[in-house]
Amino acid sequence: MLMQRELPETVAHLDAPIGAEATISVIMPVFNAAHFLLRTLPPLVKMLRRGEILEVIVVDDGATDGSAAVAAELGARVISSGGRLGPAGARNVAAAQAVGDILWFVDSDVVARDGSPARIRAALNETDVVAVFGSYDDRPDAPNFGSQYKNLLHHHHHQIGKRDASTFWAGCGAVLRTTYQKIGGFDAKRYRFPSIEDIELGYRMGDAGGKIRLDPALLSTHLKYWSVPELVRVDILRRAMPWARLMLNRSEVTDDLNVGMIERLRAGLAGLALMLVLATLGGLVPLWTPLAAFAMVLAANWKLFSTFREVRGAPFAVSALLFHQLYYLYSTVAFVWCWLEVRIGRTVRA
């Protein structure tokens, strides 16, 4: 298994361009995902048989639903993580055995598209680019509100994000194997559950001088079902709080994707809108004030609202935009909580 170690001074300029013939090893960590594998593995196995990728490695991370047998029957190479390690540790186990020039990470609930290997090779053949990741498409599989909202939000941010990214996404993202080895792989000790292990890996790649490319045309379909309570729980405990702690410990707040400066301003606007609604209920301001607040929120989030409306229609777009203001509020509370943790901790240590 890859272990964390000192960063090299740089990972750029150390390797020759990979070229159009670079080999690709697909790595898919699996825990009780047999029902997903029936849809996510066949496209990858077809790529394997066409010679577009070198191998498809499925890491059985302690599954109890027969995932390993399903993966083997579908044509993947199956290895064991040796215990329940979480996706970070499982990916490290596979990376240590992979032989491709490129490690392409694909989640067990993600359906990759034809043409993806060519896009990955093209991106990683650019000077100093050591990693590339893509985006969910705008057709998430599960039809319920939580799944549609969560996946369309992800799609929106990855479609408009900076092409020179500051983080990484392992749902459908690839890294040069030499770079991955030099920076020590995923931090499996810190992230034993699905969390921001890919974001943290991206920071280390950037710190070591490597460029990370966001390719919005590297599309995939997400099959995961998100209930509203579950997405709120994951957003707070597995995303917002760990990411806030990581940024605060680095003394650097990322200006990209859903934590960029504009997003922070929108979060502030969500807080203002809530205060105006409460003031209206308390009889402190006129009754038209909430309408004005919603108009401001709509104007500030017009592109996101348009994405919601184009895919699911106006009623969904309105409800999703209102729920998105709740997302801003609980994400802000999570960040402030973590800021206080760090602040108090520094005060105590001083």
Side-chain angles (χ1 to χ4, degrees):
M1 183 183 299
L2 292 172
M3 300 298 292
Q4 293 301 111
R5 52 183 178 270
E6 291 275 333
L7 286 179
E9 290 186 4
T10 178
V11 295
H13 302 297
L14 295 181
D15 303 298
I18 60 168
E21 302 304 318
T23 54
I24 298 177
S25 294
V26 173
I27 293 176
M28 178 181 288
V30 171
F31 176 73
N32 290 350
H35 58 301
F36 288 139
L37 297 182
L38 295 172
R39 294 180 59 185
T40 58
L41 276 180
L44 295 170
V45 172
K46 288 180 181 178
M47 295 176 198
L48 175 66
R49 292 171 178 166
R50 292 195 297 260
E52 297 171 7
I53 56 180
L54 181 63
E55 57 184 346
V56 178
I57 305 175
V58 167
V59 192
D60 175 13
D61 194 31
T64 59
D65 68 341
S67 290
V70 171
E73 184 176 349
L74 290 171
R77 173 190 172 194
V78 180
I79 63 176
S80 172
S81 67
R84 187 77 172 98
L85 302 181
R91 294 186 190 111
N92 285 347
V93 169
Q97 299 187 35
V99 295
D101 303 311
I102 299 167
L103 305 179
W104 179 16
F105 301 106
V106 181
D107 280 350
S108 60
D109 57 5
V110 170
V111 182
R113 288 192 178 185
D114 286 347
S116 296
R119 299 203 67 87
I120 289 170
R121 288 187 180 94
L124 293 177
N125 199 36
E126 297 180 34
T127 302
D128 293 344
V129 174
V130 300
V132 59
F133 64 92
S135 166
Y136 292 144
D137 61 23
D138 61 357
R139 293 295 183 270
D141 191 66
N144 65 304
F145 176 84
S147 301
Q148 292 288 314
Y149 162 79
K150 181 70 172 176
N151 290 295
L152 289 174
L153 178 63
H154 181 284
H155 171 80
H156 169 77
H157 284 304
H158 282 226
Q159 289 298 304
I160 66 172
K162 297 176 181 178
R163 299 301 177 259
D164 289 324
S166 56
T167 66
F168 180 65
W169 176 53
C172 183
V175 183
L176 293 178
R177 181 163 58 93
T178 50
T179 294
Y180 190 84
Q181 292 171 334
K182 287 165 187 168
I183 66 172
F186 289 98
D187 188 342
K189 183 176 180 180
R190 183 189 300 184
Y191 303 108
R192 295 188 58 83
F193 301 95
S195 185
I196 60 159
E197 69 277 358
D198 46 2
I199 293 171
E200 191 274 340
L201 179 75
Y203 282 150
R204 280 188 282 125
M205 287 192 285
D207 290 344
K211 293 181 181 178
I212 303 170
R213 180 75 71 239
L214 165 57
D215 180 1
L218 181 59
L219 292 168
S220 56
T221 302
H222 198 200
L223 305 182
K224 183 178 177 67
Y225 177 94
W226 286 102
S227 67
V228 170
E230 177 66 5
L231 78 84
V232 172
R233 185 188 70 84
V234 170
D235 272 347
I236 295 173
L237 299 180
R238 298 285 177 84
R239 301 289 295 179
M241 296 183 74
W243 199 350
R245 289 173 181 136
L246 182 61
M247 288 188 291
L248 290 167
N249 287 328
R250 289 170 54 86
S251 299
E252 178 185 356
V253 179
T254 304
D255 186 18
D256 195 8
L257 297 175
N258 55 322
V259 293
M261 177 59 72
I262 299 300
E263 283 298 290
R264 282 174 259 159
L265 292 174
R266 291 185 178 119
L269 181 59
L272 175 61
L274 175 62
M275 287 189 290
L276 291 177
V277 169
L278 294 176
T280 302
L281 294 175
L284 302 176
V285 295
L287 292 176
W288 53 262
T289 304
L291 294 177
F294 180 76
M296 290 189 295
V297 165
L298 180 61
N301 295 273
W302 182 253
K303 288 185 178 180
L304 176 60
F305 177 81
S306 297
T307 296
F308 288 148
R309 184 186 58 188
E310 289 167 7
V311 177
R312 292 296 307 270
F316 173 86
V318 172
S319 59
L321 185 61
L322 290 174
F323 182 82
H324 193 54
Q325 305 316 297
L326 174 62
Y327 158 83
Y328 280 134
L329 294 173
Y330 65 66
S331 296
T332 300
V333 170
F335 184 88
V336 171
W337 179 277
C338 293
W339 181 85
L340 289 172
E341 281 183 343
V342 173
R343 186 75 175 179
I344 293 171
R346 287 174 180 168
T347 302
V348 171
R349 286 193 296 270

